[in-house]
Amino acid sequence: MKFLDQCKIYVRSGNGGGGAVSFRREKYIEYGGPDGGDGGRGGDVWIEAVEGLNTLIDYRYQQHFKAGTGVHGMGRARHGAAGEDVILKVPVGTQVLEEDKETLIADLDTAGMTLRLAKGGNGGWGNLHFKGPVNQAPKYANPGQEGEELWVWLRLKLIADVGLVGLPNAGKSTFLAAASAAKPKIADYPFTTLTPNLGMVDLSTSERFVMADIPGLIEGASEGAGLGTRFLGHVERSAVLIHLVDATQDDIASAWTTIRGELEAYGDELADKSEILALNKVDALDDETRAAKAAELETVAGVKPMLVSGVSGEGVTELLRAAFTQVRIRRGDAIEEIEDDEDHVEETPGGWQP
């Protein structure tokens, strides 16, 4: 399924049905009088966040959505039927914006959230409503009220607890595949990942969270270089960022500063999120080179990086548990001081396997 995270759609609610002008003309009824019924209301346009979707591809091939028109009123005081509503189903995390693409209408960040985008027009009154002692035979009725129409933008921000950031070829997709059941495309060339990938991480029965891998950033991404910062919105909702740095490259300090600069340029407090720094692909280095690379990265970043390898599985469990601690803090769970004992860690049978 193709990934689509933003689109523009047109919605229009239904017009109300017109009221009827009608009179009773039965042969044996002495006083007939007006009996025109009211028109039915027009259909509404609703939008609903549902689980099980992770793309807006359904709105790639159909951009116009119109609710049903109310049925006109009829004689014998019969009321017209209401127009059929239209319900647009979108993934959880979808934002609805006005046509200017800046003004936020709603943020559907919880499954089941609904919003009425356009209200249907009211049905018109039939001539039965206008009879009285002065005007006993009104020959007019109200037309139905017109519906509303508007253009809106839908923008998807994936719901993920942990976000993976780093340069192209930093090993983010390999790490996601090792830590979860996700199967992202993995290759030895830059920009293998062109769209965000989601994976569910199961450390134990009580330790579960969602991790998102977004396409790699390069220098100048905030100005549109490479894939730009278009997909950074998918980690805005995350509790913590895992910053992966390729340990096999020559200048790891520049790799870290490049990503930090692009996060700060993007804004939206993304640069202020909790970050766990990890030196990836350490399985390709000897112990001496590992120590030198880690010291170099610690000097520029100010924090000691964790050593991991998505291929061999080294350090993956420790990194995921550190990330889950930040996720629990974000969720508001009580974080108790953990003693270093055997009761805390639930080891995976047979050891960690990538």
Side-chain angles (χ1 to χ4, degrees):
M1 181 182 293
K2 184 178 179 181
F3 182 83
L4 184 69
D5 65 341
Q6 59 182 7
C7 60
K8 186 179 182 180
I9 62 172
Y10 169 84
V11 297
R12 192 186 195 287
S13 58
N15 295 335
V21 177
S22 175
F23 296 90
R24 297 181 65 177
R25 291 184 174 86
E26 285 86 351
K27 180 177 180 181
Y28 298 105
I29 297 179
E30 183 177 2
Y31 301 104
D35 66 347
D38 302 337
R41 65 166 184 84
D44 299 331
V45 179
W46 296 82
I47 188 168
E48 179 184 5
V50 298
E51 295 180 338
L53 297 177
N54 57 9
T55 176
L56 296 172
I57 192 64
D58 293 339
Y59 305 99
R60 168 65 177 83
Y61 305 104
Q62 181 183 358
Q63 294 88 30
H64 293 73
F65 300 90
K66 299 179 181 180
T69 300
V71 177
H72 297 314
M74 293 166 281
R76 297 186 179 179
R78 287 176 292 176
H79 197 291
E84 186 176 357
D85 292 345
V86 170
I87 302 177
L88 309 179
K89 297 185 182 297
V90 296
V92 177
T94 301
Q95 292 182 330
V96 184
L97 301 100
E98 293 184 1
E99 192 174 1
D100 60 10
K101 210 175 179 179
E102 296 181 357
T103 307
L104 181 65
I105 299 176
D107 188 358
L108 307 177
D109 58 356
T110 305
M113 284 188 64
T114 58
L115 170 71
R116 184 167 60 186
L117 293 177
K119 181 181 178 181
N122 293 326
W125 281 354
N127 65 340
L128 177 63
H129 273 279
F130 298 101
K131 70 175 182 179
V134 175
N135 188 2
Q136 298 183 10
K139 298 181 180 179
Y140 54 86
N142 282 345
Q145 185 182 26
E146 291 190 357
E148 303 172 346
E149 59 179 351
L150 69 157
W151 286 90
V152 295
W153 279 92
L154 302 181
R155 182 170 63 192
L156 173 62
K157 292 184 178 180
L158 295 176
I159 303 295
D161 300 305
V162 177
L164 291 176
V165 296
L167 289 174
N169 265 9
K172 300 185 297 299
S173 296
T174 303
F175 181 83
L176 179 68
S180 69
K183 293 179 173 57
K185 183 179 179 180
I186 300 173
D188 60 352
Y189 53 83
F191 295 109
T192 306
T193 301
L194 297 177
T195 58
N197 294 305
L198 283 180
M200 176 66 73
V201 179
D202 284 310
L203 290 173
S204 68
T205 56
S206 60
E207 296 173 304
R208 176 178 296 180
F209 59 89
V210 178
M211 186 161 56
D213 162 32
I214 65 169
L217 300 173
I218 62 174
E219 186 174 359
S222 59
E223 300 174 357
L227 294 176
T229 56
R230 172 181 173 183
F231 296 114
L232 273 181
H234 295 292
V235 294
E236 281 184 26
R237 305 176 190 269
S238 60
V240 60
L241 299 178
I242 294 180
H243 187 166
L244 294 181
V245 178
D246 185 357
T248 62
Q249 61 186 338
D250 296 330
D251 192 355
I252 60 174
S254 175
W256 181 85
T257 55
T258 297
I259 298 301
R260 291 304 305 175
E262 298 307 322
L263 293 178
E264 293 172 0
Y266 180 80
D268 289 335
E269 300 180 353
L270 196 58
D272 298 330
K273 283 188 175 294
S274 299
E275 180 185 87
I276 300 177
L277 185 60
L279 197 60
N280 197 20
K281 303 182 183 180
V282 296
D283 60 294
L285 306 177
D286 55 36
D287 293 340
E288 184 179 350
T289 308
R290 287 187 183 191
K293 294 281 189 178
E296 180 183 354
L297 187 55
E298 182 178 0
T299 300
V300 65
V303 294
K304 185 177 181 179
M306 302 184 69
L307 304 181
V308 299
S309 170
V311 174
S312 66
E314 178 183 351
V316 172
T317 304
E318 292 77 9
L319 178 56
L320 294 177
R321 290 196 185 280
F324 183 66
T325 299
Q326 297 296 324
V327 172
R328 290 182 60 193
I329 294 174
R330 174 68 175 271
R331 293 175 179 174
D333 296 346
I335 304 300
E336 300 177 356
E337 292 188 8
I338 301 172
E339 297 181 359
D340 188 15
D341 56 19
E342 297 180 353
D343 295 335
H344 166 64
V345 180
E346 298 183 27
E347 295 291 346
T348 303
W352 178 270
Q353 294 293 331

Short mmCIF file of all heavy atoms in Angstrom, two decimals, residues 196-231:
data_model
loop_
_atom_site.label_atom_id
_atom_site.label_comp_id
_atom_site.label_asym_id
_atom_site.label_seq_id
_atom_site.Cartn_x
_atom_site.Cartn_y
_atom_site.Cartn_z
N PRO A 196 7.81 6.67 6.02
CA PRO A 196 7.97 6.19 7.40
C PRO A 196 7.50 4.75 7.56
O PRO A 196 6.59 4.28 6.87
CB PRO A 196 7.08 7.15 8.21
CG PRO A 196 6.96 8.37 7.35
CD PRO A 196 6.98 7.88 5.94
N ASN A 197 8.15 4.03 8.47
CA ASN A 197 7.76 2.67 8.82
C ASN A 197 7.45 2.60 10.31
O ASN A 197 8.11 3.27 11.11
CB ASN A 197 8.89 1.69 8.50
CG ASN A 197 9.17 1.59 7.01
OD1 ASN A 197 8.27 1.31 6.23
ND2 ASN A 197 10.41 1.84 6.61
N LEU A 198 6.46 1.80 10.66
CA LEU A 198 6.08 1.61 12.06
C LEU A 198 6.34 0.17 12.47
O LEU A 198 6.16 -0.75 11.68
CB LEU A 198 4.59 1.92 12.27
CG LEU A 198 4.17 3.39 12.33
CD1 LEU A 198 2.67 3.48 12.54
CD2 LEU A 198 4.89 4.13 13.43
N GLY A 199 6.78 0.00 13.72
CA GLY A 199 6.98 -1.33 14.26
C GLY A 199 6.55 -1.39 15.71
O GLY A 199 6.75 -0.43 16.46
N MET A 200 5.94 -2.51 16.11
CA MET A 200 5.54 -2.71 17.50
C MET A 200 6.65 -3.47 18.22
O MET A 200 7.01 -4.57 17.81
CB MET A 200 4.23 -3.49 17.58
CG MET A 200 3.79 -3.82 19.00
SD MET A 200 3.38 -2.35 19.97
CE MET A 200 1.80 -1.91 19.23
N VAL A 201 7.18 -2.87 19.28
CA VAL A 201 8.26 -3.48 20.05
C VAL A 201 7.66 -4.16 21.27
O VAL A 201 6.97 -3.53 22.06
CB VAL A 201 9.30 -2.42 20.49
CG1 VAL A 201 10.40 -3.07 21.31
CG2 VAL A 201 9.89 -1.73 19.26
N ASP A 202 7.92 -5.46 21.41
CA ASP A 202 7.44 -6.25 22.55
C ASP A 202 8.65 -6.74 23.34
O ASP A 202 9.27 -7.74 22.99
CB ASP A 202 6.62 -7.45 22.08
CG ASP A 202 5.22 -7.04 21.64
OD1 ASP A 202 4.55 -6.34 22.41
OD2 ASP A 202 4.82 -7.41 20.52
N LEU A 203 8.97 -6.00 24.42
CA LEU A 203 10.06 -6.44 25.28
C LEU A 203 9.59 -7.52 26.25
O LEU A 203 10.33 -8.43 26.60
CB LEU A 203 10.62 -5.25 26.06
CG LEU A 203 11.40 -4.23 25.23
CD1 LEU A 203 11.75 -3.02 26.08
CD2 LEU A 203 12.65 -4.84 24.64
N SER A 204 8.35 -7.38 26.72
CA SER A 204 7.74 -8.37 27.61
C SER A 204 6.24 -8.14 27.55
O SER A 204 5.75 -7.29 26.80
CB SER A 204 8.27 -8.23 29.04
OG SER A 204 7.84 -7.01 29.62
N THR A 205 5.52 -8.89 28.35
CA THR A 205 4.06 -8.75 28.34
C THR A 205 3.60 -7.38 28.82
O THR A 205 2.51 -6.93 28.47
CB THR A 205 3.41 -9.83 29.22
OG1 THR A 205 3.97 -9.75 30.55
CG2 THR A 205 3.68 -11.21 28.64
N SER A 206 4.42 -6.70 29.60
CA SER A 206 4.04 -5.39 30.13
C SER A 206 4.88 -4.26 29.55
O SER A 206 4.72 -3.11 29.96
CB SER A 206 4.19 -5.38 31.66
OG SER A 206 5.53 -5.66 32.04
N GLU A 207 5.77 -4.57 28.64
CA GLU A 207 6.63 -3.55 28.03
C GLU A 207 6.42 -3.59 26.52
O GLU A 207 7.00 -4.40 25.82
CB GLU A 207 8.09 -3.82 28.38
CG GLU A 207 8.39 -3.71 29.88
CD GLU A 207 9.82 -4.15 30.18
OE1 GLU A 207 10.19 -5.29 29.82
OE2 GLU A 207 10.55 -3.36 30.80
N ARG A 208 5.58 -2.68 26.06
CA ARG A 208 5.22 -2.65 24.64
C ARG A 208 5.08 -1.20 24.20
O ARG A 208 4.46 -0.39 24.88
CB ARG A 208 3.93 -3.41 24.43
CG ARG A 208 3.40 -3.36 23.00
CD ARG A 208 2.14 -4.18 22.86
NE ARG A 208 2.39 -5.60 23.10
CZ ARG A 208 1.45 -6.52 23.04
NH1 ARG A 208 0.20 -6.18 22.79
NH2 ARG A 208 1.76 -7.79 23.25
N PHE A 209 5.64 -0.88 23.05
CA PHE A 209 5.50 0.48 22.52
C PHE A 209 5.70 0.44 21.01
O PHE A 209 6.16 -0.55 20.44
CB PHE A 209 6.49 1.45 23.18
CG PHE A 209 7.95 1.08 23.01
CD1 PHE A 209 8.68 1.54 21.93
CD2 PHE A 209 8.58 0.29 23.96
CE1 PHE A 209 10.00 1.20 21.77
CE2 PHE A 209 9.92 -0.04 23.82
CZ PHE A 209 10.64 0.42 22.72
N VAL A 210 5.33 1.56 20.36
CA VAL A 210 5.41 1.69 18.90
C VAL A 210 6.62 2.54 18.55
O VAL A 210 6.84 3.61 19.14
CB VAL A 210 4.13 2.32 18.33
CG1 VAL A 210 4.24 2.49 16.81
CG2 VAL A 210 2.92 1.48 18.67
N MET A 211 7.39 2.08 17.57
CA MET A 211 8.57 2.80 17.14
C MET A 211 8.45 3.15 15.66
O MET A 211 7.98 2.33 14.86
CB MET A 211 9.83 1.96 17.39
CG MET A 211 11.13 2.68 17.10
SD MET A 211 12.55 1.88 17.93
CE MET A 211 12.40 0.21 17.29
N ALA A 212 8.85 4.36 15.29
CA ALA A 212 8.73 4.84 13.92
C ALA A 212 10.11 5.12 13.35
O ALA A 212 10.95 5.76 14.00
CB ALA A 212 7.87 6.10 13.85
N ASP A 213 10.34 4.64 12.15
CA ASP A 213 11.57 4.91 11.41
C ASP A 213 11.22 5.84 10.26
O ASP A 213 10.38 5.52 9.42
CB ASP A 213 12.15 3.58 10.89
CG ASP A 213 13.16 3.79 9.77
OD1 ASP A 213 13.86 4.83 9.80
OD2 ASP A 213 13.26 2.93 8.88
N ILE A 214 11.83 7.02 10.22
CA ILE A 214 11.53 7.99 9.17
C ILE A 214 12.71 8.07 8.21
O ILE A 214 13.84 7.71 8.57
CB ILE A 214 11.21 9.38 9.75
CG1 ILE A 214 12.44 9.98 10.45
CG2 ILE A 214 10.02 9.34 10.67
CD1 ILE A 214 12.27 11.43 10.82
N PRO A 215 12.48 8.52 6.99
CA PRO A 215 13.58 8.64 6.02
C PRO A 215 14.71 9.52 6.56
O PRO A 215 14.48 10.46 7.32
CB PRO A 215 12.91 9.29 4.80
CG PRO A 215 11.49 8.87 4.90
CD PRO A 215 11.18 8.84 6.37
N GLY A 216 15.93 9.19 6.15
CA GLY A 216 17.11 9.88 6.66
C GLY A 216 17.17 11.34 6.27
O GLY A 216 16.68 11.76 5.21
N LEU A 217 17.77 12.13 7.15
CA LEU A 217 17.96 13.55 6.90
C LEU A 217 19.39 13.79 6.41
O LEU A 217 20.31 13.05 6.75
CB LEU A 217 17.72 14.36 8.18
CG LEU A 217 16.33 14.25 8.81
CD1 LEU A 217 16.31 14.97 10.14
CD2 LEU A 217 15.28 14.82 7.89
N ILE A 218 19.57 14.84 5.64
CA ILE A 218 20.91 15.25 5.23
C ILE A 218 21.05 16.74 5.51
O ILE A 218 20.08 17.43 5.85
CB ILE A 218 21.17 14.98 3.73
CG1 ILE A 218 20.19 15.79 2.86
CG2 ILE A 218 21.08 13.51 3.42
CD1 ILE A 218 20.47 15.69 1.38
N GLU A 219 22.25 17.25 5.39
CA GLU A 219 22.48 18.66 5.63
C GLU A 219 21.69 19.49 4.63
O GLU A 219 21.69 19.23 3.43
CB GLU A 219 23.97 18.98 5.50
CG GLU A 219 24.32 20.41 5.90
CD GLU A 219 25.81 20.65 5.90
OE1 GLU A 219 26.58 19.71 5.61
OE2 GLU A 219 26.21 21.79 6.19
N GLY A 220 20.99 20.50 5.14
CA GLY A 220 20.14 21.32 4.30
C GLY A 220 18.74 20.79 4.11
O GLY A 220 17.97 21.30 3.30
N ALA A 221 18.38 19.76 4.87
CA ALA A 221 17.04 19.18 4.74
C ALA A 221 15.96 20.19 5.07
O ALA A 221 14.88 20.18 4.48
CB ALA A 221 16.90 17.95 5.63
N SER A 222 16.23 21.09 6.03
CA SER A 222 15.24 22.10 6.42
C SER A 222 14.97 23.08 5.28
O SER A 222 13.95 23.77 5.28
CB SER A 222 15.73 22.87 7.65
OG SER A 222 16.97 23.49 7.39
N GLU A 223 15.86 23.12 4.28
CA GLU A 223 15.67 23.99 3.11
C GLU A 223 15.23 23.20 1.89
O GLU A 223 15.22 23.71 0.78
CB GLU A 223 16.97 24.74 2.82
CG GLU A 223 17.43 25.63 3.98
CD GLU A 223 18.79 26.25 3.73
OE1 GLU A 223 19.39 25.93 2.67
OE2 GLU A 223 19.26 27.02 4.57
N GLY A 224 14.92 21.92 2.09
CA GLY A 224 14.39 21.11 1.01
C GLY A 224 15.36 20.12 0.41
O GLY A 224 15.00 19.41 -0.54
N ALA A 225 16.59 20.04 0.90
CA ALA A 225 17.56 19.11 0.34
C ALA A 225 17.15 17.67 0.66
O ALA A 225 16.61 17.38 1.73
CB ALA A 225 18.96 19.39 0.90
N GLY A 226 17.45 16.76 -0.27
CA GLY A 226 17.07 15.37 -0.07
C GLY A 226 15.55 15.24 -0.04
O GLY A 226 14.85 15.76 -0.90
N LEU A 227 15.05 14.56 0.95
CA LEU A 227 13.60 14.45 1.15
C LEU A 227 13.07 15.57 2.03
O LEU A 227 11.90 15.57 2.40
CB LEU A 227 13.25 13.09 1.76
CG LEU A 227 13.53 11.88 0.88
CD1 LEU A 227 13.23 10.60 1.65
CD2 LEU A 227 12.73 11.92 -0.39
N GLY A 228 13.96 16.51 2.40
CA GLY A 228 13.55 17.61 3.26
C GLY A 228 13.15 17.13 4.65
O GLY A 228 13.55 16.07 5.09
N THR A 229 12.35 17.93 5.32
CA THR A 229 11.90 17.58 6.67
C THR A 229 10.41 17.22 6.67
O THR A 229 9.75 17.30 7.69
CB THR A 229 12.13 18.76 7.64
OG1 THR A 229 11.45 19.92 7.11
CG2 THR A 229 13.61 19.05 7.78
N ARG A 230 9.91 16.81 5.50
CA ARG A 230 8.47 16.55 5.37
C ARG A 230 8.00 15.50 6.35
O ARG A 230 6.90 15.59 6.90
CB ARG A 230 8.18 16.09 3.94
CG ARG A 230 6.76 15.60 3.75
CD ARG A 230 6.51 15.13 2.35
NE ARG A 230 5.18 14.51 2.24
CZ ARG A 230 4.71 13.95 1.14
NH1 ARG A 230 5.45 13.94 0.05
NH2 ARG A 230 3.51 13.41 1.12
N PHE A 231 8.82 14.46 6.60
CA PHE A 231 8.37 13.34 7.42
C PHE A 231 8.71 13.51 8.89
O PHE A 231 8.40 12.63 9.69
CB PHE A 231 8.97 12.04 6.90
CG PHE A 231 8.52 11.69 5.51
CD1 PHE A 231 9.42 11.68 4.46
CD2 PHE A 231 7.20 11.38 5.25
CE1 PHE A 231 9.00 11.37 3.18
CE2 PHE A 231 6.78 11.07 3.97
CZ PHE A 231 7.68 11.06 2.93
#
